[in-house]
């Protein structure tokens, strides 16, 4: 499928649908980056390709019939990567939450990696590192942030060294409601 990402070393099935109203399709050649990598002489026309290289790669097929004619399919672009990036999202606090003053805030995140292992999640409050966690459930405690507006985010790393950053989540901590005011007056 055009735009799909594949990991180098994976085996994928290439497939081509063919039709010829007059002659019989005798062979389908599959091409990767302009070079033939496999062929198929029978329906369904499929072949297995072990993904190699990296970056954007063009795939196409050429159908040949018994009349000596051939037709080239439209090329599709796929991306070959060495490692899929992990994913991370803040699950606590909820955006827009109002927390009481002098409250420790538990920052939690969900993290996953489609082709490996999550090795660490780091938590940031107002861009300062709050803590890290190496195992699920991923969380860190922010000790009583000051009253006002705050934002948290997380960064995840996987076993291949790839990382990803969550979207920031903003929340509020109430300011102390017990402010005393002193005024002085001079005797007249």
């Amino acid at each position: 499928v055009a735009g799909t990402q594949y990991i180098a070393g994976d085996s994928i099935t290439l497939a081509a649908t063919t039709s010829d109203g007059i002659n019989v399709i005798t062979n389908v050649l599959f091409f990767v980056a302009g070079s033939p990598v496999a062929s198929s002489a029978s329906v369904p026309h499929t072949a297995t390709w072990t993904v190699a290289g990296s970056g954007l790669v063009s795939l196409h097929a050429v159908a040949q019939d018994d009349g000596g004619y051939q037709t080239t399919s439209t090329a599709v672009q796929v991306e070959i990567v060495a490692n899929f990036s992990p994913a991370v999202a803040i699950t606590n606090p909820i955006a827009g939450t109002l927390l009481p003053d002098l409250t420790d805030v538990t920052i939690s995140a969900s993290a996953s990696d489609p082709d490996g292992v999550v090795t660490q999640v780091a938590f940031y409050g107002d861009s300062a590192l709050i803590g890290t966690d190496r195992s699920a459930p991923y969380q860190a405690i922010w000790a009583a942030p000051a009253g006002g507006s705050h934002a948290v985010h997380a960064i995840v790393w996987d076993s291949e060294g790839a990382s990803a950053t969550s979207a920031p989540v903003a929340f509020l901590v109430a300011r102390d409601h017990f402010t005393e005011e002193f005024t002085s007056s001079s005797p007249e």
Side-chain angles (χ1 to χ4, degrees), residues 21-122:
I22 300 171
N23 296 312
V24 175
I25 302 294
T26 57
N27 195 36
V28 173
L29 295 169
F30 294 95
F31 290 80
V32 175
S35 297
V37 294
S39 66
S40 172
S42 60
V43 176
H45 294 288
T46 62
T48 301
W49 172 52
T50 301
V51 179
S54 64
L56 292 176
V57 176
S58 177
L59 307 175
H60 73 276
V62 175
Q64 301 168 327
D65 70 16
D66 61 359
Y69 298 99
Q70 65 181 29
T71 301
T72 302
S73 71
T74 301
V76 296
Q77 295 285 324
V78 298
E79 183 176 10
I80 314 259
V81 296
N83 177 31
F84 285 116
S85 293
V88 63
I90 297 291
T91 57
N92 190 66
I94 305 295
T97 297
L98 175 61
L99 300 172
D101 193 20
L102 302 175
T103 300
D104 289 348
V105 178
T106 300
I107 308 166
S108 302
S110 63
S112 61
D113 186 49
D115 64 337
V117 176
V118 169
T119 59
Q120 176 175 293
V121 176

